[in-house]
Each structure stands twice: as C-alpha cells, then as structure tokens.
Amino acid sequence: MTDQAVAPEVGRARLRKEDARLITGQTNWTDNIDVPGLLHLAVLRSPMAHARIERVDVSPALERPGVVAAFTGRDLAGELGSLPCAWPVTEDMVLPDHPPLALDEVRHAGDPVAVVAARDRYAAADALEAIEVDYEPLPPVLDLEEALAEDAPLVHADKGTNRAYVWPLRTGEDYASVRQRADVVIKRRYRQQRLIPNAMEPRAVVVAPLAASGEYTVYSATQIPHILRIMLSTVTGIPEHKLRVVAPDVGGGFGSKLQVYGEEALALAIARKLGRPVKWTESRSEGYLATHHGRGMIQDIELAATREGRLLGLKVDLLADMGAYLMLVTPGIPILGAFMYPGIYKMDAYEFTCTGVFTTRTPTDAYRGAGRPEATYAIERMMDELAAEVGLDPVEVRRRNWIRHEEFPYTTIAGLTYDSGHYEAATDKALALFGYDELRAEQRERDERGDPVRLGIGVSTYTEMCGLAPSRVLRDLRYGAGGWEAASIRMLPTGKVEVVTGTSPHGQGHVTSWSQIAADVLGVPFEDIEVLHGDTQTAPQGMDTYGSRSLAVGGAAVHRAAEKVVEKARKVAAHLLEANEDDLEFTNGVFSVKGSPEARKTIQEIAFETFTSHDVPDGMEPTLNAEHVHDPENFSYPHGTHLCAVEVDTETGQTRIRSYVCVDDVGRVINPMIVEGQVHGGLAQGIAQALYEEAVYDTEGNLVSGTMADYLVPSAADLPEFVTDRTETPASTNPLGVKGVGEAGTIASTPAVVNAIVDALRPLGVHDVPMPCTPERVWEAIRSAQSSGTARKEAPA
C-alpha cells in the first residue's frame, strides 16, 4: 500500500462533501419522508392574543372528506404533559404549565387550540374551517413596563404575576461608589426588537409507530435530536429506549430548531393514539406565529467613566420579553448575555439585573447569538456614546479600555476567564483594510460643505462566549444539561473510516470539517472518511448543535477519539513489527521503526490485521474503534473588529452601506471556505436586525408582520460586498485551538451598522435611532433633533 499524501487537511479550503447531494435535490428533508398509511396533521390556532376558551367543537371537522380524527386539548390531556423548560434560572422562577394544545385559555395569537388528522394535508387544512370555537376576550399584555404594574392584567392568572424571575449579578466594587467618583455618567435606553427566524426549511415532523413493540421513530427538522428524544419521553411518557429521533437533512435553524415544540409532541401522541404514522409541516405564515421569536428586550444602560475616557463601571437593567410561555431555554437566553455586557473592556464595577416578563406574544427563545448580540450591541453603542462625550475617536476610546494581548489569560469583571486574544492586531488589520483615516477625512470634508448625504463610520470590537461549555459551570447556572459532546471512530477492515458525532448539523459543514480533522490525525485520505450524525440510533450519545459549540466541543471529541484509534493501532504495529511502542514513529498514516524506515505498516494494513485477529497482541480486542466524550474546560472566546461606512440621506432617511470590513479571530481555522460562509451569513442576519427586520404587533396583540410580504428579510441584493479577513490566536482550552464562528458575524455587525448611522447624524443632535433603522425612523430622528434644537451649530440644517 502506498503512502498517503502529506499535505495537511486542517486549514485547507475544501469544497463541502455535503453540497453535491443538497444542490442536486437528492436530499431527505423531513417533509420529503413518506410512510405507508401516512396521515397529515393541521393545527387550528387562536386568532386572539388572549382569551378564555368557552367551547371547542371538532365534530363538524370529522364530517369533512378525508378526515380521520380531530382532537381538542381536553381530548389529549391524558396523553401529554407540559412542554419542558430546561433552564430554571432562579429557585423561585415562575413556571406556568405549557400544554401542547390550549386547555382553558389562549395566551398569544397562534396558540394551538385543536388538531385534525386527515389523509392529505389539504383535507386537514380545509377541515380546520369547520371547527367551532367560542372565545371570551381577555386583555392583552404587551408593554413590558406596564405588565409589571400592580393592576396589570395577567398572562397566567393562577401565578398572580407577570414577573417570571429577577436574576442579579454584581461584581467588583460597589457600582454606586464608583459612580460617585466618575467624571462622566451616561445613561441610555436601547430596544432590542423581536426577530422572527427564517430558516430555508420550515419546521416539520413525521412519526412512524411500530405497534408490535411500542417503538416510535420521530423524524424532525430539529437541531437537537438527542435532547428532543429525552424531552419527548418526559412529555408523552413513552420510555426513552422506545424512541428513536432522526434529524435528516435540516435546512437551517439559527436557534429556531433548538426547541421542543408542541407539534412534535402532538404528532407523537396522535401516532400512538391512532396507531398510524403522521406528518405535520408548517406553512411559512404559520411559522411566524408558532416558531419561537428572538430578542425582545428593553436595555437600560448606565456607564461611568473618567474624563480621559477610562471605564469605571457599568450598570445594566434589562426587561426581557419571555412571551406567553417559558420554552426550552427561554429564561436563560438573557442570562447568557449577562457575562458579555463588559465585552473586551476592563472596569472596576459591574451591576446587572434581568427581569423576565410574561406577555401575550409568541414565546421567545434562542436566536443566532442568543443573548450575546444584545449585550454586544449595548456595550458597543455605549462606547461610541462615551467617545462622543469625552471628545475621543471611537477607536481610541476602545484602545484605552480593552484587555491587552499580554494580559491573557484574563479574568473579566463578569467572572469569565478569557484564555487568549489579540484585539490590537485584529483592529489594526481592519482599520488598514477599511481605509479608516481616509474615510474620516472624507467625512470631515463632506461635513464642511454641508452635504445632505452624510457619511458615518461605525466601529464594533467584540468578543463572545461560545462552545457551551463546562458541565459544572452550566450546573451553577441551573442549566438542565451538561456541555459535553461525544464522538466515535470506526476503523473499517478495508481501511475506510466512519466518524460518528453527537453534533447535528443544519448547514455548518460538519461532515467536511470532521473529515478533515480525522484525516489529519489518522493519516487517511479525506475521501475515505464518512461522517454519521443526526440519528439517536446511529449516534446514541450527543448534546447536539447550538451556541457555536460544535467545533470547539464536538470537533475536539472527534480529534480525541481519532488519537485513541492511533494509540490502539500503535500497539498492533509494535507487535507486528516486533518493536517497542516508544520506538515507533507515526507520520501520514504510516508506522515505522525509528532508524529502520523499511520496517513499516500503514494504519489501513493494521485495520485489516486487527479485523482478521490472526496476529494481534494477547488480550487485545479485534477492533481499532474508539470513542471519546469531551467536556470542555472553558468556553471559547472568538473576537474581532467590524467597521461599517454608511451614507445617510438626511432628506429621505435612506441608509446605504457603502463598505463593510471585518477581521475576526476564531482561533485555528479548519476550513477557510466554511469560515467565510459562516461569517457572511452572520453578517446578513446582524445587518438585517439593524436595518430591516422586526416582529410588529398591534394594540390587540395581533402579529401584523406575519408574512414575508410584511417582514423584510434582506436578500443578497440588499447587502453590500463584504471585505473579510482573519487573525489567528489559538484557543488554549481545546486540543484543536479552535473557537466558534457561527454567531460572530451576527453579534458584531448590528452595533457596527447602527453606530455608523448615529455617527453620521450625531452633528444633527441624534444619539440613537431605534432598530430597525428604517428610512422613516432615521428621518424622524433627524426631525426630532432639529425641533429640539440639539444639533451642533456647525452642522448643516
């Protein structure tokens, strides 16, 4: 057998193995799955935000053609428990029941009320019109501050409050004392609008029962097949070992599929009740009501500093919109951000309080970045406010406060230990690529001539905690699971390799990246590696994919498992070559004896020898297979600098992004092409929050941006050309030196864009524009500043 190629795979821009099947339509989306005898489900949803259910009559639906069954919440109450919340952030957190079908009350528009099973999806949808429901309207609860008033109507009357929890964090010196000695105190209120996830593939679920053994296979467009299996067992009472959950090809998630949804539980319960397979696929407009939303928060931020621009303290008060129910990790999402409000900066005092508030809107939960974008937005907006207050350039005020590269590892005021970073290098590189000084000069020239189209420059220097993370830390945060990840390597007799991973990709390129990692460790060709995932039968252990954890935790598990395979193979090689293990070298998949290079065995030869077991060391099992469960010792901390230049037409409010440069440090890069794709996708979503997207409700609690005609998702034509680059500061806390990249672009880009808009308008007296910064809102901010007389004298009218 010939030697393998010596070029390393890690760091190589490989085309993704996954793509050929995806782009040629040879996919297995959940909605593609067909099973003999399949019934289709359709869900009737409340048209009202808050109402008492007086009567539900599904009998007229049963008379419709093709309808097999129809159920109310009462019909299935004995089959289903409450949907789970896995993150009780405080001991006294208020946790209402969350039935998959409403029983006595609906609490948001879209709350499910009844379900129909029919022979095709159209018959099921048509039959919903026949169901009779009588509602008694109740007052909606929409305003976060009003919801906490003593006389406010209650989302859950039996709980006696709309306050879900209060979670405080106070570290360093007493903030009040630090504030007293500050030269500058700045207060701002920022609003994080609700966002609606828009994965390319809608949610879907298929349940196929095997009646004879009481087993069920659940196919779901989910990010979390392993977690879903456990939670469906608790909700339905079906033993976990009787459930198999499969995440087939999943077309994106962004956190929206990090969830245990009522439709999944309903499908399982109905399949059990009818003894027949069932399928449910959401429509896009249905998903806008029923898929959880992201963000939704009021941020009151106070910053104390010296007149030289040095940070002294930060005070954060949040009102976080939980929506109507606490879903899987709803209450914990703002808490993730608690550790990120100080960002990359040093200070003496930090005070944080988050109050979770129930409203009669769709529940919120994880959305790309999950708490970290909100925190980065607040601190990066405040750093620009501080720069303006003390008369410093926004980059300079950051330089005066950030953690210097020689100070790592550094324990922040929030208690996290950042293991590595080099903010100076990333910023210097970004400034050079951006032409920062030249743009500032152009900005001054345009100001002087009173150009009505103003130039603004936005800065965002960020870090994030990702790669969820040590299980004991998650325990201390009261999170209901660990942060470990599992992988196994199966060395087949022919020398090919199967990598089994507990991560569950939905567009990230795990199959390609994991193949590259394993190829380098094992010394086998990239093409000879198959990656198996997303099936609790094939990959029985796993904690799935979210929070930019897959590479830093799951990839590390693959790396360690492959190392174990090599060590097993070393024992066989030593035996076959009649050498001491310590005298063997392993390079490019070949074991050779030091000083005798002709004495050699490839790892593929050893795999076959082990399979035959004709001549292996005594007591050794006839396999090179190995597995590893990796529990990380710390989060990973990618960082970077994003710079945005915008042109704002003061006469129309129209904003155009003229240039965008970002330099990210995501540690060691496995596949540059995949990293670029993740950064570009993240930038699109972060810019979308800044300029385009918002879930809008009317005064009755109706979602009025409930279709793609009303909710503006930007296309490539709406976005600028991105200039992206990297610095590389390896992580010290995992064997690959990698950090997360999946959420970086989303976290950094939103404040960069809004800072640029405000920078353009600050001479006109504008210090904030609420997101999304639509032309109307920009125009209103300009007119409001003009009418209040806050514009600088030298600014054009």
Side-chain angles (χ1 to χ4, degrees):
M1 189 174 286
T2 59
D3 291 356
Q4 277 70 231
V6 298
E9 285 291 340
V10 169
R12 187 174 174 185
R14 278 278 193 182
L15 291 174
R16 300 197 327 172
K17 284 184 174 183
E18 303 91 323
D19 288 347
R21 190 185 76 256
L22 296 173
I23 64 178
T24 57
Q26 300 175 66
T27 51
N28 192 34
W29 312 116
T30 302
D31 192 50
N32 292 350
I33 295 169
D34 198 10
V35 184
L38 185 69
L39 298 176
H40 294 261
L41 303 183
V43 178
L44 181 69
R45 302 185 183 278
S46 169
M48 308 184 72
H50 198 195
R52 189 170 292 108
I53 300 172
E54 298 291 328
R55 182 180 70 95
V56 184
D57 186 0
V58 297
S59 58
L62 295 171
E63 299 174 4
R64 291 293 184 98
V67 173
V68 173
F71 303 99
T72 68
R74 291 292 173 199
D75 295 331
L76 296 176
E79 309 276 340
L80 294 167
S82 179
L83 294 174
C85 175
W87 203 339
V89 294
T90 64
E91 288 187 12
D92 60 351
M93 185 184 80
V94 175
L95 181 57
D97 286 340
H98 185 185
L101 282 180
L103 299 174
D104 301 311
E105 213 169 286
V106 292
R107 294 182 170 88
H108 67 91
D111 213 355
V113 175
V115 59
V116 169
R119 292 186 177 89
D120 66 66
R121 69 196 327 165
Y122 307 105
D126 289 345
L128 296 181
E129 299 175 357
I131 296 175
E132 299 174 1
V133 186
D134 293 336
Y135 297 102
E136 179 188 337
L138 296 170
V141 180
L142 302 170
D143 184 275
L144 295 180
E145 291 176 304
E146 292 176 3
L148 298 177
E150 288 187 11
D151 58 348
L154 298 175
V155 181
H156 299 275
D158 61 317
K159 299 303 180 184
T161 181
N162 289 322
R163 184 178 284 103
Y165 64 85
V166 177
W167 194 94
L169 177 67
R170 290 172 176 79
T171 61
E173 299 179 33
D174 177 62
Y175 175 79
S177 299
V178 167
R179 186 185 190 279
Q180 284 185 338
R181 70 171 190 263
D183 303 313
V184 176
V185 176
I186 302 171
K187 295 182 180 181
R188 294 289 186 267
R189 167 169 282 202
Y190 299 127
R191 175 178 163 272
Q192 294 284 329
Q193 77 270 37
R194 277 176 167 253
L195 302 177
I196 302 177
N198 279 275
M200 291 183 72
E201 179 201 19
R203 290 190 296 119
V205 59
V206 173
V207 179
L210 186 60
S213 59
E215 297 175 348
Y216 301 84
T217 299
V218 179
Y219 302 91
S220 182
T222 183
Q223 297 174 218
I224 53 167
H226 298 89
I227 294 172
L228 181 60
R229 182 191 190 204
I230 295 167
M231 293 304 185
L232 285 179
S233 178
T234 64
V235 173
T236 64
I238 297 172
E240 185 183 350
H241 68 286
K242 295 290 187 180
L243 287 175
R244 175 189 178 191
V245 175
V246 181
D249 293 320
V250 177
F254 314 120
S256 69
K257 294 171 183 171
L258 165 57
Q259 193 55 265
V260 178
Y261 282 105
E263 295 86 359
E264 291 164 321
L266 282 172
L268 182 53
I270 292 170
R272 175 172 61 178
K273 196 173 185 71
L274 299 180
R276 292 182 59 175
V278 301
K279 177 191 287 188
W280 173 81
T281 302
E282 72 178 2
S283 67
R284 186 65 70 177
S285 57
E286 186 179 23
Y288 274 42
L289 289 170
T291 296
H292 73 241
H293 292 178
R295 315 289 190 257
M297 185 184 294
I298 294 173
Q299 302 170 305
D300 286 311
I301 314 294
E302 183 175 297
L303 178 151
T306 68
R307 62 175 53 90
E308 293 77 28
R310 190 179 81 80
L311 283 172
L312 296 176
L314 183 68
K315 185 174 185 290
V316 177
D317 286 297
L318 304 183
L319 292 179
D321 188 351
M322 303 286 99
Y325 303 100
L326 302 183
M327 298 189 75
L328 191 65
V329 290
T330 300
I333 297 303
I335 306 309
L336 278 176
F339 302 96
M340 285 286 99
Y341 279 86
I344 65 174
Y345 307 114
K346 298 178 286 189
M347 61 191 72
D348 302 328
Y350 176 48
E351 184 174 310
F352 173 94
T353 305
C354 177
T355 302
V357 183
F358 290 113
T359 63
T360 53
R361 286 187 278 235
T362 300
T364 58
D365 210 300
Y367 181 65
R368 197 170 190 170
R372 282 77 51 80
E374 298 93 309
T376 300
Y377 181 85
I379 187 61
E380 288 304 295
R381 288 285 294 109
M382 290 299 284
M383 292 304 287
D384 263 32
E385 294 302 297
L386 175 60
E389 183 69 24
V390 299
L392 288 172
D393 181 273
V395 175
E396 176 58 27
V397 83
R398 288 165 169 82
R399 290 188 191 279
R400 294 188 183 189
N401 287 285
W402 65 32
I403 303 157
R404 298 187 305 275
H405 71 276
E406 65 268 17
E407 296 179 282
F408 289 96
Y410 185 90
T411 300
T412 73
I413 190 74
L416 298 176
T417 299
Y418 296 174
D419 65 304
S420 67
H422 202 314
Y423 309 140
E424 304 96 310
T427 302
D428 289 344
K429 195 170 192 178
L431 291 172
L433 289 169
F434 190 62
Y436 186 81
D437 292 339
E438 294 85 349
L439 281 167
R440 284 294 183 199
E442 180 187 342
Q443 182 185 48
R444 288 191 293 271
E445 188 273 330
R446 291 172 69 155
D447 282 356
E448 288 168 1
R449 60 182 164 87
D451 193 332
V453 179
R454 302 188 60 82
L455 177 64
I457 298 169
V459 182
S460 174
T461 51
Y462 79 98
T463 189
E464 60 156 322
M465 54 185 283
C466 58
L468 292 176
S471 295
R472 293 184 180 183
V473 171
L474 298 181
R475 172 203 63 193
D476 294 341
L477 292 173
R478 302 179 61 85
Y479 182 64
W484 54 265
E485 193 48 79
S488 62
I489 307 287
R490 299 202 287 247
M491 198 81 195
L492 304 179
T494 56
K496 311 302 181 185
V497 179
E498 291 177 335
V499 174
V500 182
T501 176
T503 65
S504 186
H506 42 281
Q508 294 89 340
H510 293 184
V511 171
T512 302
S513 298
W514 282 206
S515 294
Q516 292 179 270
I517 293 167
D520 274 3
V521 178
L522 299 173
V524 302
F526 170 83
E527 295 79 9
D528 286 354
I529 299 172
E530 188 75 17
V531 178
L532 307 176
H533 58 80
D535 184 338
T536 61
Q537 190 172 83
T538 303
Q541 281 188 293
M543 290 300 295
D544 306 317
T545 294
Y546 41 86
S548 300
R549 71 184 300 274
S550 292
L551 179 58
V553 189
V558 170
H559 179 87
R560 292 297 194 203
E563 287 181 328
K564 290 181 178 180
V565 168
V566 172
E567 290 311 303
K568 281 189 173 184
R570 183 183 299 276
K571 295 181 184 300
V572 180
H575 177 78
L576 295 173
L577 296 170
E578 298 181 345
N580 190 291
E581 288 182 42
D582 294 337
D583 291 333
L584 292 184
E585 295 178 330
F586 181 67
T587 306
N588 300 323
V590 178
F591 289 96
S592 60
V593 180
K594 295 175 184 176
S596 302
E598 70 283 356
R600 51 193 277 127
K601 288 284 183 181
T602 68
I603 196 168
Q604 291 96 331
E605 290 172 326
I606 293 168
F608 189 78
E609 293 280 1
T610 307
F611 163 71
T612 65
S613 199
H614 292 168
D615 187 16
V616 296
D618 291 342
M620 183 170 181
E621 296 177 347
T623 175
L624 294 184
N625 300 347
E627 60 183 34
H628 186 80
V629 177
H630 180 68
D631 200 342
E633 62 181 84
N634 195 358
F635 298 89
S636 74
Y637 300 98
H639 69 83
T641 297
H642 288 223
L643 301 170
C644 178
V646 301
E647 291 182 329
V648 182
D649 188 328
T650 57
E651 295 175 348
T652 66
Q654 183 66 42
T655 296
R656 181 181 76 89
I657 296 180
R658 176 168 141 179
S659 61
Y660 196 102
V661 169
C662 62
V663 174
D664 295 291
D665 192 320
V666 298
R668 190 183 183 199
V669 172
I670 303 300
N671 187 316
M673 188 179 299
I674 289 176
V675 167
E676 285 292 295
Q678 288 293 305
V679 171
H680 278 220
L683 292 176
Q685 286 185 270
I687 292 170
Q689 178 172 8
L691 296 179
Y692 300 112
E693 297 187 21
E694 181 178 22
V696 178
Y697 287 82
D698 66 16
T699 56
E700 298 301 315
N702 300 303
L703 182 65
V704 297
S705 57
T707 71
M708 281 191 164
D710 310 298
Y711 185 91
L712 183 54
V713 179
S715 70
D718 300 303
L719 298 168
E721 291 289 328
F722 303 126
V723 176
T724 64
D725 209 332
R726 292 184 301 277
T727 55
E728 189 167 307
T729 311
S732 63
T733 55
N734 65 70
L736 293 169
V738 297
K739 304 175 183 180
V741 68
E743 296 162 304
T746 306
I747 289 168
S749 58
T750 309
V753 174
V754 178
N755 276 342
I757 294 170
V758 175
D759 182 65
L761 303 178
R762 195 178 296 279
L764 306 183
V766 175
H767 65 74
D768 190 36
V769 178
M771 294 188 293
C773 302
T774 61
E776 180 182 9
R777 284 182 174 162
V778 171
W779 188 88
E780 287 178 345
I782 295 169
R783 295 302 173 265
S784 176
Q786 287 177 335
S787 64
S788 63
T790 56
R792 291 205 312 247
K793 289 182 180 178
E794 67 272 21

